[in-house]
């Protein structure tokens, strides 16, 4: 995790940028590298031994909850994956699809149930029980989908709660959501007639 140092306009006043205090993600960092901030893929434009700065495009501000952050806010940070290691979880691109609102938090033993209402209900068709979803950049397994309520829920074990920012958020706060890219590809292929053409050719 890291901590927001500054969120504001650039020196020339033409854009926005985010400055974050961090340690682990800065090991071996270079200008132009990608670092995901609460699941949002951002490009490093400046860095020191303790902080890095990333620019924020207007579309990023529209699609994500980053504008709700302020100095002192804790955020999830993740470097780009290296293809040489084991893949735990699922492919998270850092391309946020939309936001959701936390509507309930319930403890069960040392685990935590979290229920989220999706702001754009079109995203619900990509969210399935036992499927993957990234919430503020954390790869999680969906437990149930409540179509009528426009909600889904997930459970976080004690270890995960200590390592990410979602458990620090309260009911009513927003989270960034990225659905599993595989569902989008399948939908695109089915809609393009690709499957039918393959069946006919066989």
């Amino acid at each position: 995790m890291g901590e927001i140092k500054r969120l504001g306009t650039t020196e020339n006043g033409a854009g926005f940028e985010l400055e974050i205090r961090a340690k682990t993600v800065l090991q071996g960092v270079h200008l132009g590298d990608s670092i995901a901030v609460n699941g949002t893929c951002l490009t490093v434009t400046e860095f020191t031994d303790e902080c890095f700065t990333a620019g924020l495009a207007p579309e990023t501000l529209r699609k994500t909850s980053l504008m709700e952050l302020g100095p002192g806010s804790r955020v999830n940070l993740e470097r780009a994956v290296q293809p040489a290691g084991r893949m735990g979880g699922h492919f998270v691109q850092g391309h946020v699809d939309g936001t959701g609102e936390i509507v309930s938090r319930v403890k069960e033993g040392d685990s935590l149930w979290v229920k989220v209402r999706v702001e754009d209900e079109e995203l619900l068709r990509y969210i399935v029980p036992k499927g993957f979803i990234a919430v503020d950049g954390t790869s999680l397994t969906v437990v149930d989908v409540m179509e009528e309520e426009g909600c889904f829920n997930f459970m976080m074990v004690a270890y995960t709660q200590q390592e990410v920012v979602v458990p620090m958020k309260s009911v009513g706060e927003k989270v960034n959501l990225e659905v599993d890219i595989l569902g989008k590809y399948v939908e695109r292929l089915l809609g393009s007639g690709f499957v039918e053409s393959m069946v006919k050719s066989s």
Side-chain angles (χ1 to χ4, degrees):
M1 288 186 278
E3 183 180 305
I4 300 298
K5 183 177 179 182
R6 186 179 67 86
L7 171 62
T9 56
T10 55
E11 285 187 13
N12 62 13
F16 280 88
E17 61 185 11
L18 188 60
E19 188 175 1
I20 299 173
R21 292 187 185 92
K23 289 184 179 179
T24 305
V25 297
L26 295 177
Q27 295 171 10
V29 74
H30 299 90
L31 289 177
D33 279 358
S34 295
I35 295 179
V37 179
N38 277 1
T40 307
C41 182
L42 300 177
T43 301
V44 175
T45 56
E46 295 178 40
F47 68 91
T48 67
D49 291 339
E50 297 181 346
C51 298
F52 73 93
T53 302
L56 296 171
E59 177 68 0
T60 303
L61 297 175
R62 283 191 292 267
K63 280 279 190 181
T64 70
S65 63
L66 294 182
M67 279 298 287
E68 298 188 356
L69 301 173
S73 295
R74 301 283 283 171
V75 289
N76 290 330
L77 299 175
E78 186 174 11
R79 292 174 286 190
V81 68
Q82 293 183 328
R86 289 188 177 93
M87 281 294 299
H90 73 294
F91 286 104
V92 179
Q93 298 179 297
H95 301 161
V96 175
D97 293 299
T99 57
E101 178 186 340
I102 296 174
V103 294
S104 71
R105 295 162 36 95
V106 179
K107 278 279 192 181
E108 184 177 336
D110 64 355
S111 293
L112 177 67
W113 284 98
V114 181
K115 184 176 177 181
V116 175
R117 179 181 297 114
V118 180
E119 295 201 340
D120 178 3
E121 291 194 9
E122 287 291 304
L123 289 181
L124 269 183
R125 69 174 181 266
Y126 303 112
I127 303 174
V128 296
K130 304 300 180 285
F132 289 119
I133 191 164
V135 180
D136 274 350
T138 302
S139 175
L140 296 165
T141 302
V142 176
V143 178
D144 291 306
V145 178
M146 304 82 171
E147 298 280 353
E148 302 80 12
E149 302 174 53
C151 296
F152 68 93
N153 66 2
F154 55 88
M155 180 177 267
M156 304 181 82
V157 297
Y159 175 83
T160 306
Q161 293 175 54
Q162 295 166 11
E163 300 295 324
V164 300
V165 300
V166 173
M168 300 178 187
K169 294 193 170 183
S170 305
V171 170
E173 289 195 70
K174 285 187 178 182
V175 289
N176 292 324
L177 301 177
E178 181 185 333
V179 298
D180 193 347
I181 188 66
L182 293 179
K184 294 180 183 178
Y185 280 130
V186 169
E187 182 181 65
R188 180 77 171 178
L189 283 171
L190 291 174
S192 69
F194 174 79
V195 175
E196 290 85 347
S197 65
M198 291 295 289
V199 171
K200 289 177 182 176
S201 64
S202 61

